[in-house]
């Protein structure tokens, strides 16, 4: 179908898409190599570009392009069996633009972001072709012209971008600066408009395909699941320490027993609950974007916020990647507990985040070099002055978290931030927002809270989702059935002598009375 799409373009655009001597497998490997190279450059340069008033991390965008390439390689041989000659065409365009859009001195952020979108669509619809060419469904005839139209829009985007970047250097040197800026603005406007046309065509095609075939939905859930970010392995930022030294630094950083807290909340959660959040469009869009940002999940007391926070943590902990270690994760369950007052103290919370992000608890006991340097400096100062070792302040924590996340992405989960005292909430949120602004990598912060006016006013820029009865319906039904079954089996409910009709009536009454809880 790529050949049919190419045939619909005018001769000028076709000429821009002339990539010679590239076989399908050859161009996939070359494009993957180019994307990896540009990712290393972006990591080194810490590229962040403002697109639509959002700071996009270019390294993260390139990692997603690599993800789509890997997916395409897995399905491509079968998916393009009827279009072998032109299967390489769009990837050749992606490779060419990657080479010119990212360098040691500059990055065209909108172009790279557009290439991620294009790479996604190339892979997504390779899967569509695989399904519809293997078995001709009723919808197949209607899908083919829509698919060809989408491919034509993708090729148009690639051809116009290539044409712009192929402007000879000599021409640019003799063109007035003002005119060059005008050409660039025109190119960026055309690029945005072309991406909008691609999105429109994608929406039409998706609607028809999803309505016509449930199998597509199942395969898309696998293909387009949560983004699994990975840590950088090309640079060494940590030091391995002996047990005694390691323990000294851990105790200095934070005493919070975060692993025990997660284990307790995870075990209490009903298996399978929280899927509505983890697979929901709002959460997935936030999680997959290449922009550092916050997500606020809020609701009334008893609506299951802590359970959902534990589900988010478990989903991240369960992620694994064959490309490298997973991105860093820190999590805190805030509380007004009298026995653990640290759980409502902003400084203690931030110290625990530093510990979780900067310390490895594996077989090799490693600590980020920035933390170790800070500790050793304070240790020397304390010995000279004869005082106790000074602990990290809020500003110290912010500085260290920004350093630690400079090269690697991270996710921070904070449950019940409304449990932090009002003055402390402001300090905590301000500290987290500074991390989001200043970190060079993607930092995602997931927070939960009761419906609190101060919290909502502090997080006006966050993606927000309120827990309502409609969200929790399936989880509430499962919970009620589970609790009634347990009560009957343990003989706590009418001695275990409960008819099926009475059990059904009890379940319905409890579900109806639960509301948003």
């Amino acid at each position: 179908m790529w050949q049919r799409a190419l045939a619909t373009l005018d001769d000028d655009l076709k000429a821009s898409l002339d990539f010679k001597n590239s076989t399908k497998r050859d161009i996939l490997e070359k494009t993957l190599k180019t994307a990896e190279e540009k990712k290393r450059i972006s990591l080194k340069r810490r590229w962040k570009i403002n697109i639509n008033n959002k700071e996009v991390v270019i390294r993260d965008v390139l990692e997603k392009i690599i993800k789509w390439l890997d997916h395409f390689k897995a399905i491509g041989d079968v998916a393009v069996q009827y279009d072998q000659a032109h299967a390489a065409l769009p990837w050749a365009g992606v490779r060419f633009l990657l080479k010119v859009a990212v360098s040691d001195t500059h990055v065209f952020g909108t172009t790279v972001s557009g290439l991620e979108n294009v790479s996604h669509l190339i892979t997504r619809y390779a899967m569509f072709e695989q399904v519809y060419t293997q078995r001709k469904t009723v919808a197949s005839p209607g899908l083919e012209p829509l698919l060809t139209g989408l491919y034509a829009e993708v090729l148009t985007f690639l051809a116009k971008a290539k044409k712009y970047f192929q402007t000879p250097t000599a021409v640019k040197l003799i063109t007035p600066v003002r005119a060059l800026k005008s050409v660039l603005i025109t190119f960026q406007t055309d690029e945005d408009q072309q991406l909008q046309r691609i999105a429109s065509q994608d929406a039409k095609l998706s609607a028809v395909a999803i309505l016509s075939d449930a199998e597509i939905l199942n395969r898309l859930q696998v293909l387009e699941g949560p983004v699994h970010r990975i840590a950088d392995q090309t640079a060494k930022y940590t030091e391995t320490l002996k047990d005694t030294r390691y323990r000294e630094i851990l105790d200095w950083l934070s005493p919070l027993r975060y692993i025990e807290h997660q284990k307790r909340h995870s075990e209490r959660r009903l298996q399978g609950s929280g899927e509505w959040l983890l697979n929901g469009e709002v959460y997935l869009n936030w999680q997959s974007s290449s922009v550092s940002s916050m997500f606020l999940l809020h609701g009334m007391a008893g609506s299951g916020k802590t359970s959902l926070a534990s589900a988010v943590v478990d989903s991240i902990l369960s992620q694994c990647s064959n490309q490298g270690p997973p991105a860093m994760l820190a999590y805190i369950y805030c509380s007004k507990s009298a026995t653990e007052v640290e759980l409502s103290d902003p400084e203690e919370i931030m110290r625990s985040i530093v510990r979780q992000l900067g310390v490895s608890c594996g077989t090799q006991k490693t600590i980020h070099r920035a933390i170790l340097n800070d500790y050793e400096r304070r240790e020397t100062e304390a010995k000279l002055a004869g005082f106790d070792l000074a602990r990290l302040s809020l500003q110290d924590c912010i500085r260290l978290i920004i350093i630690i996340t400079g090269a690697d992405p991270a996710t921070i989960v904070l449950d019940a931030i409304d449990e932090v005292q009002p003055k402390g909430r402001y300090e905590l949120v301000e500290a987290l927002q500074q991390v989001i602004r200043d970190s060079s990598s993607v930092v995602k912060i997931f927070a939960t809270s009761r419906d609190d006016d101060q919290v909502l006013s502090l997080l006006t820029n966050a993606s927000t989702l309120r827990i309502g009865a409609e969200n929790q319906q399936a989880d509430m039904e499962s919970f009620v059935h589970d609790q009634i079954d347990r009560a009957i089996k343990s003989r706590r409910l009418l001695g275990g002598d409960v008819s099926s009709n009475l059990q059904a009536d009890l379940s319905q009454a409890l579900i109806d009375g639960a509301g948003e809880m």
Side-chain angles (χ1 to χ4, degrees):
M1 290 190 191
W2 286 105
Q3 186 174 7
R4 296 179 199 169
L6 180 64
T8 66
L9 305 186
D10 61 43
D11 292 340
D12 187 38
L13 292 177
K14 287 179 186 176
S16 293
L17 292 169
D18 184 16
F19 302 101
K20 300 182 184 300
N21 303 320
S22 288
T23 63
K24 180 171 75 70
R25 179 59 60 182
D26 177 53
I27 198 60
L28 287 177
E29 295 299 337
K30 286 184 176 180
T31 307
L32 187 58
K33 184 178 179 181
T34 300
E36 293 280 7
E37 175 191 345
K38 299 304 181 181
K39 187 187 86 169
R40 287 191 291 272
I41 292 173
S42 298
L43 176 59
K44 176 183 175 183
R45 300 292 296 174
R46 309 291 172 92
W47 289 119
K48 290 174 75 173
I49 300 297
N50 189 295
I51 300 177
N52 298 325
N53 296 319
K54 293 181 179 179
E55 292 292 316
V56 176
V57 178
I58 297 300
R59 171 252 181 108
D60 196 73
V61 176
L62 290 163
E63 284 186 347
K64 286 190 278 189
I65 292 176
I66 292 168
K67 167 192 171 182
W68 299 124
L69 276 160
D70 285 336
H71 276 298
F72 186 87
K73 284 171 64 179
I75 64 175
D77 287 335
V78 178
V80 295
Q81 58 184 313
Y82 300 107
D83 205 6
Q84 288 280 359
H86 286 267
L89 184 60
W91 287 122
V94 169
R95 178 174 180 254
F96 174 87
L97 293 174
L98 278 176
K99 291 175 72 175
V100 296
V102 181
S103 76
D104 279 318
T105 58
H106 70 267
V107 59
F108 286 81
T110 53
T111 300
V112 177
S113 183
L115 288 176
E116 189 276 319
N117 183 30
V118 163
S119 300
H120 174 196
L121 294 177
I122 295 170
T123 304
R124 174 187 174 97
Y125 289 107
M127 183 198 67
F128 272 57
E129 284 197 61
Q130 186 181 35
V131 171
Y132 289 116
T133 54
Q134 284 180 344
R135 49 178 180 76
K136 292 287 185 179
T137 65
V138 174
S140 294
L143 282 172
E144 288 187 8
L146 287 173
L147 191 55
T148 302
L150 175 67
Y151 286 177
E153 297 293 0
V154 168
L155 292 176
T156 299
F157 169 84
L158 296 172
K160 287 183 175 180
K162 184 182 179 219
K163 190 175 180 181
Y164 169 80
F165 285 110
Q166 279 186 320
T167 303
T169 304
V171 173
K172 293 179 180 178
L173 289 174
I174 63 174
T175 303
V177 174
R178 183 177 297 177
L180 280 177
K181 288 183 178 179
S182 176
V183 171
L184 176 60
I185 291 171
T186 301
F187 165 65
Q188 291 175 334
T189 301
D190 289 346
E191 199 170 45
D192 288 340
Q193 291 175 349
Q194 187 60 34
L195 287 172
Q196 289 173 13
R197 285 191 283 271
I198 289 173
S200 174
Q201 193 72 14
D202 175 36
K204 294 176 185 177
L205 185 53
S206 295
V208 173
I210 288 172
L211 288 172
S212 66
D213 200 321
E215 183 182 348
I216 289 295
L217 276 175
N218 295 330
R219 298 184 69 168
L220 280 179
Q221 286 180 349
V222 175
L223 182 67
E224 301 181 350
V227 172
H228 295 178
R229 293 184 170 90
I230 60 175
D232 175 45
Q233 292 181 294
T234 61
K236 181 174 171 57
Y237 302 103
T238 59
E239 297 285 347
T240 302
L241 303 178
K242 293 182 178 179
D243 286 350
T244 304
R245 187 68 164 167
Y246 178 79
R247 175 49 59 187
E248 285 175 358
I249 298 177
L250 290 191
D251 291 341
W252 169 72
L253 280 171
S254 172
L256 292 184
R257 308 175 77 85
Y258 59 93
I259 295 176
E260 292 181 10
H261 299 155
Q262 170 61 19
K263 185 173 184 291
R264 181 170 68 248
H265 293 305
S266 182
E267 289 175 346
R268 290 176 179 174
R269 191 179 72 250
L270 188 65
Q271 186 175 6
S273 62
E275 293 299 317
W276 66 269
L277 170 66
L278 300 176
N279 295 324
E281 183 178 4
V282 177
Y283 176 80
L284 286 177
N285 287 344
W286 168 78
Q287 190 269 348
S288 63
S289 75
S290 297
V291 177
S292 294
S293 56
M294 292 190 73
F295 186 105
L296 176 64
L297 180 71
H298 63 103
M300 63 181 289
S303 58
K305 299 180 294 296
T306 297
S307 176
L308 290 166
S310 72
V312 170
V313 173
D314 278 341
S315 72
I316 297 171
L317 289 173
S318 66
Q319 290 175 5
C320 60
S321 171
N322 59 10
Q323 297 179 356
M328 297 176 291
L329 169 67
Y331 48 90
I332 302 287
Y333 290 89
C334 304
S335 173
K336 294 177 182 176
S337 169
T339 58
E340 289 185 280
V341 294
E342 298 90 351
L343 292 173
S344 61
D345 184 329
E347 283 193 340
E348 291 291 357
I349 290 169
M350 291 294 285
R351 288 170 187 148
S352 181
I353 292 172
V354 172
R355 170 175 168 166
Q356 293 181 61
L357 297 182
V359 177
S360 169
C361 299
T363 54
Q364 285 194 328
K365 297 176 173 58
T366 62
I367 292 182
H368 197 283
R369 193 177 300 136
I371 298 175
L372 183 59
N373 291 342
D374 205 301
Y375 179 83
E376 290 176 342
R377 176 181 58 79
R378 292 166 187 265
E379 187 179 44
T380 301
E381 291 173 352
K383 286 179 180 178
L384 290 173
F387 295 128
D388 291 336
L389 193 66
R391 300 191 68 202
L392 296 174
S393 68
L394 196 66
Q395 288 303 314
D396 292 329
C397 292
I398 294 170
R399 173 177 54 81
L400 286 171
I401 292 171
I402 290 171
I403 292 172
I404 293 167
T405 59
D408 289 322
T411 300
I412 300 170
V413 178
L414 291 172
D415 177 56
I417 58 173
D418 56 294
E419 294 282 301
V420 179
Q421 63 265 30
K423 181 177 181 295
R425 290 178 211 162
Y426 171 77
E427 294 174 347
L428 180 61
V429 170
E430 281 295 299
L432 295 171
Q433 288 179 335
Q434 186 175 341
V435 169
I436 284 176
R437 285 194 304 270
D438 295 345
S439 176
S440 298
S441 294
V442 172
V443 176
K444 297 289 185 179
I445 300 177
F446 179 95
T448 73
S449 171
R450 294 182 185 181
D451 295 325
D452 183 279
D453 289 340
Q454 185 200 21
V455 172
L456 290 171
S457 65
L458 288 173
L459 296 176
T460 53
N461 292 326
S463 298
T464 59
L465 180 63
R466 188 178 189 278
I467 303 172
E470 68 280 3
N471 304 129
Q472 290 280 59
Q473 183 69 24
D475 285 357
M476 181 58 67
E477 290 177 0
S478 297
F479 177 77
V480 167
H481 294 319
D482 177 74
Q483 292 299 304
I484 291 178
D485 286 342
R486 288 173 180 267
I488 294 173
K489 289 177 181 177
S490 62
R491 310 297 182 183
R492 290 182 289 111
L493 181 62
L494 299 178
D497 185 16
V498 182
S499 68
S500 57
N501 287 337
L502 178 57
Q503 186 174 345
D505 290 342
L506 283 172
S507 297
Q508 194 59 52
L510 289 170
I511 291 168
D512 291 342
E516 295 180 357
M517 295 186 67

